[in-house]
Amino acid sequence: MKNRLKVLRAENDMTQAQLAEETGVSRQTINAIEKGKFDPSLPLAFRFAKLFKMSIEDIFAHED
Amino acid sequence: MKTQKHSGISKNKPITFHLGLWTFAWVLSIAFVTFGSKYLWEFNPTITVIMILISSLVGIGVIITNRKYIKQIDELQRKILLDAMGVSLGVAVIGGISYSMLDTTNVIDFDAEISHLVILIGLTYLAGVLIGNARYK
């Protein structure tokens, strides 16, 4: 699954640690998601969407 | 850009501490049964059974607290721990049965001790957690 998390985080001038704090996960989790190594749960995806005021589809895209 | 913060990570410290306390109490109870039966109550079966029951109850406390811990930790950490547990379970079943067969067929000279299996499970779990953490670093 591809995602725009790193770009959105940069656009909002946030560090991985800040994004982790805002969404209640570890910085390691944010890093793993940004690198595409780990797919977040649906509740966490919703938290990202709420934080960036976007839909989940605008942040995450499925790749075949 | 601020939203309501989620305190998933900060909640972990008390539950980790509780898990540590329960595990310590359980290890202590095992030591008490092992050495107490020999040095304190000289293998009195009634006292031994009572102490084993107490130790088992503390063990149930460890299981319940561990379950709470798994539910509360960060989702990536949960995945790493569950993956490690899955591998440990597989190694425990396959390794345990193979080890037992080696004993029953007299391929090995010594008895297959459960403690060897527990050590194997512990090391497998530890390796699984370390590899998982390295993978998602």
Side-chain angles (χ1 to χ4, degrees):
Chain A
M1 193 159 65
K2 290 191 296 186
N3 69 78
R4 297 180 55 225
L5 214 56
K6 192 173 183 178
V7 175
L8 291 169
R9 185 170 58 76
E11 283 175 1
N12 287 279
D13 199 23
M14 293 176 87
T15 63
Q16 285 187 341
Q18 285 170 331
L19 182 56
E21 174 73 20
E22 291 287 339
T23 50
V25 293
S26 65
R27 195 199 58 76
Q28 184 189 16
T29 300
I30 300 293
N31 187 49
I33 295 169
E34 283 186 359
K35 285 183 174 175
K37 290 180 178 176
F38 175 65
D39 293 332
S41 66
L42 197 52
L44 180 56
F46 271 110
R47 293 208 287 275
F48 288 133
K50 189 180 174 187
L51 180 69
F52 294 120
K53 296 185 174 64
M54 300 174 110
S55 66
I56 291 176
E57 292 89 342
D58 290 332
I59 304 173
F60 297 96
H62 185 260
E63 58 182 354
D64 294 316
Chain B
M1 179 180 287
K2 296 284 174 189
T3 59
Q4 186 185 355
K5 288 186 182 178
H6 295 264
S7 54
I9 300 299
S10 57
K11 275 185 196 170
N12 291 345
K13 277 186 181 171
I15 192 78
T16 306
F17 181 69
H18 286 153
L19 183 59
L21 274 184
W22 275 103
T23 307
F24 180 71
W26 179 65
V27 170
L28 213 61
S29 72
I30 290 173
F32 194 64
V33 172
T34 306
F35 297 109
S37 61
K38 192 174 179 182
Y39 298 111
L40 296 176
W41 58 85
E42 293 171 342
F43 300 106
N44 180 312
T46 309
I47 300 174
T48 303
V49 168
I50 290 168
M51 290 303 170
I52 289 173
L53 281 174
I54 292 170
S55 175
S56 300
L57 287 174
V58 177
I60 291 169
V62 174
I63 294 168
I64 292 169
T65 314
N66 195 38
R67 190 169 170 270
K68 283 182 188 170
Y69 174 75
I70 292 286
K71 284 171 81 174
Q72 213 170 83
I73 55 174
D74 171 69
E75 59 186 69
L76 177 59
Q77 277 304 313
R78 189 182 306 135
K79 178 180 168 43
I80 291 170
L81 294 193
L82 290 177
D83 283 353
M85 282 180 189
V87 174
S88 302
L89 178 64
V91 168
V93 173
I94 305 299
I97 289 173
S98 299
Y99 192 38
S100 173
M101 284 192 297
L102 286 173
D103 184 19
T104 53
T105 54
N106 291 323
V107 175
I108 52 174
D109 295 334
F110 50 93
D111 289 333
E113 298 287 344
I114 190 77
S115 56
H116 298 160
L117 189 60
V118 172
I119 291 168
L120 178 68
I121 294 168
L123 290 176
T124 308
Y125 180 68
L126 184 66
V129 171
L130 291 174
I131 291 168
N133 272 298
R135 184 182 294 157
Y136 294 108
K137 206 171 180 181

